[in-house]
Amino acid sequence: MTLTAGVVAVQGDVSEHAEAVRRAGAAHGREVTVERIRTAGTVPDCDLLLLPGGESTTISRLLHDEGIAEEITAHVEAEKPVLATCAGLIVLSTDAGDDRVEELGLVDASVERNAFGRQADSFEAPLDVSGLDDPFPAVFIRAPVVGEVGDGVEVLASWDGRPVAIRDGPVVGTSFHPELTDDSRLHGLAFFRDG
Ligand code: GLN
């Protein structure tokens, strides 16, 4: 059966995520068709969901204005998998520490935005990720880190002693951008539970 993956396309690396989820599907013997989500009505048809990075203040406002936020909540409540990267993770968190972000509260974790400071605005690092045999080439761009996490949250990777990849039920969230490399193992972990 072909899987339908929805990429939230209000901002961010939409085509890179589309490619990565197709490659991860192929690596697991599954065909994936990709839908771009800009308005309400598409998320209910999706088996998998991807929330790219961008600017969390803008993304969260658009998701609420368009009625997509409720649909994402229903998707997670139905235990269907989600990969949320960078600003996507910020939007799904319980607390982004910024009144301009309307968090969806679907990942039981607080985040600290732009946590690596100006000097280290963006960098690449080989990251040990639980469930992957070899380090993942993680690209961080004005990245957040995860602060407090709830009991049910599994920390999949940390950098500098701070969590940068987590799993909470059907949702995997990363501070970094796994769609910016050819390596689709993180998409595999999120959607097929193995990289
Ligand atoms: N700094 C952005 C924010 O706080 C996130 C950056 C990104 O998604 N690459 O929304």
Side-chain angles (χ1 to χ4, degrees):
M1 189 199 73
T2 301
L3 291 168
T4 302
V7 185
V8 173
V10 297
Q11 264 196 352
D13 303 320
V14 175
S15 47
E16 290 85 347
H17 269 300
E19 266 314 302
V21 68
R22 282 196 204 98
R23 270 188 279 120
H28 291 81
R30 302 297 299 267
E31 195 170 324
V32 178
T33 57
V34 177
E35 297 285 342
R36 282 164 169 68
I37 296 160
R38 292 197 179 86
T39 52
T42 306
V43 173
D45 297 332
C46 294
D47 304 300
L48 322 171
L49 218 53
L50 299 101
L51 263 94
E55 198 52 49
S56 50
T57 51
T58 311
I59 296 172
S60 73
R61 181 170 42 76
L62 290 172
L63 294 181
H64 285 281
D65 288 354
E66 294 294 333
I68 302 169
E70 293 92 313
E71 296 183 341
I72 296 174
T73 301
H75 180 99
V76 172
E77 281 170 357
E79 299 283 327
K80 295 195 215 167
V82 179
L83 174 60
T85 58
C86 202
L89 168 61
I90 296 171
V91 169
L92 294 195
S93 74
T94 49
D95 184 7
D98 186 330
D99 288 346
R100 295 168 303 162
V101 180
E102 290 181 61
E103 305 90 345
L104 272 65
L106 297 173
V107 169
D108 192 4
S110 65
V111 292
E112 185 191 334
R113 295 176 64 211
N114 303 317
F116 292 103
R118 289 221 163 265
Q119 298 85 334
D121 239 8
S122 60
F123 59 97
E124 186 171 330
L127 197 64
D128 288 324
V129 179
S130 153
L132 300 184
D133 292 338
D134 300 307
F136 189 88
V139 178
F140 293 83
I141 303 169
R142 293 184 299 114
V145 290
V146 175
E148 300 289 315
V149 298
D151 287 343
V153 175
E154 182 189 355
V155 174
L156 300 175
S158 296
W159 184 254
D160 240 2
R162 301 191 280 184
V164 292
I166 56 177
R167 186 194 290 280
D168 186 6
V171 184
V172 168
T174 66
S175 300
F176 51 94
H177 289 264
E179 77 284 6
L180 293 182
T181 62
D182 291 340
D183 193 327
S184 57
R185 288 178 299 158
L186 225 301
H187 289 71
L189 263 193
F191 297 129
F192 304 101
R193 291 232 159 213
D194 113 47

